[in-house]
Amino acid sequence: MLSVTPNTMRPPYGDIDDRVRAIALAMGFTPVIWTSYGQDNFDTNDWHIAAGTVSASGVIAAFENILQEAAQLSTGFIVLAHDLYQQSVDLATGYILPDALARTNPAFNLMSIIECLHQPLSNAYKETNNNSTNPPPAGVSQSYAASGGATATSTSTSSHSGAESRKNGAGVVLGALLAAVVVPALATLL
């Protein structure tokens, strides 16, 4: 439990439509979806680890393929990875993040989603957002926004993330790590 409420959320399975967007807006959330490029979906498939339908080497291979595709992009990108299982967290922190940071051609850099949205880090959570640079949506009362909004935040970034708002390209999102890999290198790892 982080004791803070993110201002962003990834809809489960990336299933989003105008109804979900309206609900997210009413609750003060910015929907975030991972990158799709052509026929490719930037999903590491690490969520299959527990079922045994993908191995650690399969997740690493998926990430390698994603980075090859991403090298062709002129913007940043977001990769879907999860912190649901210790093995997926270990893969992210022990291999995927260090590998992405070590790359030089092209160089990748990690940014938080809030940075990709061109907002200060203090706007990342409802409890720390003073609403001056990231006001609540029209129709949401200031007291509702200040209290963190509704209690139904279980689909927020506490389990996993992706990115719909592709302002400044966005990047790789790795679960609650809320990191983004952006091309070209623009920021530092949080």
Side-chain angles (χ1 to χ4, degrees):
M1 175 70 87
L2 297 175
S3 299
V4 290
T5 310
N7 287 331
T8 57
M9 57 84 74
R10 182 198 50 89
Y13 308 103
D15 189 8
I16 191 164
D17 57 17
D18 287 342
R19 178 186 57 87
V20 174
R21 284 182 191 93
I23 293 168
L25 180 65
M27 293 178 70
F29 289 109
T30 299
V32 179
I33 302 290
W34 59 99
T35 301
S36 291
Y37 177 69
Q39 297 292 325
D40 295 318
N41 184 332
F42 285 24
D43 180 354
T44 62
N45 290 309
D46 64 344
W47 53 280
H48 289 289
I49 286 177
T53 56
V54 70
S55 63
S57 60
V59 171
I60 291 170
F63 187 70
E64 289 293 327
N65 290 336
I66 289 166
L67 290 184
Q68 288 176 1
E69 290 292 323
Q72 300 174 37
L73 298 174
S74 61
T75 64
F77 59 99
I78 297 174
V79 171
L80 178 63
H82 299 76
D83 62 351
L84 295 172
Y85 313 109
Q86 187 62 49
Q87 189 173 13
S88 61
V89 171
D90 291 344
L91 284 169
T93 59
Y95 176 79
I96 292 174
L97 290 172
D99 180 56
L101 288 170
R103 303 256 175 156
T104 59
N105 191 20
F108 297 105
N109 211 349
L110 302 181
M111 295 174 68
S112 67
I113 289 298
I114 201 72
E115 287 177 299
C116 294
L117 295 170
H118 303 290
Q119 297 193 16
L121 187 56
S122 61
N123 282 356
Y125 303 100
K126 291 183 180 186
E127 291 80 2
T128 59
N129 182 355
N130 69 12
N131 292 324
S132 65
T133 58
N134 187 28
V140 175
S141 72
Q142 290 290 339
S143 61
Y144 175 86
S147 70
T151 58
T153 58
S154 61
T155 59
S156 70
T157 54
S158 62
S159 293
H160 21 256
S161 259
E164 176 172 88
S165 59
R166 292 193 172 91
K167 297 175 185 173
N168 193 28
V172 164
V173 176
L174 297 169
L177 299 173
L178 291 179
V181 173
V182 179
V183 182
L186 297 172
T188 58
L189 175 64
L190 294 177

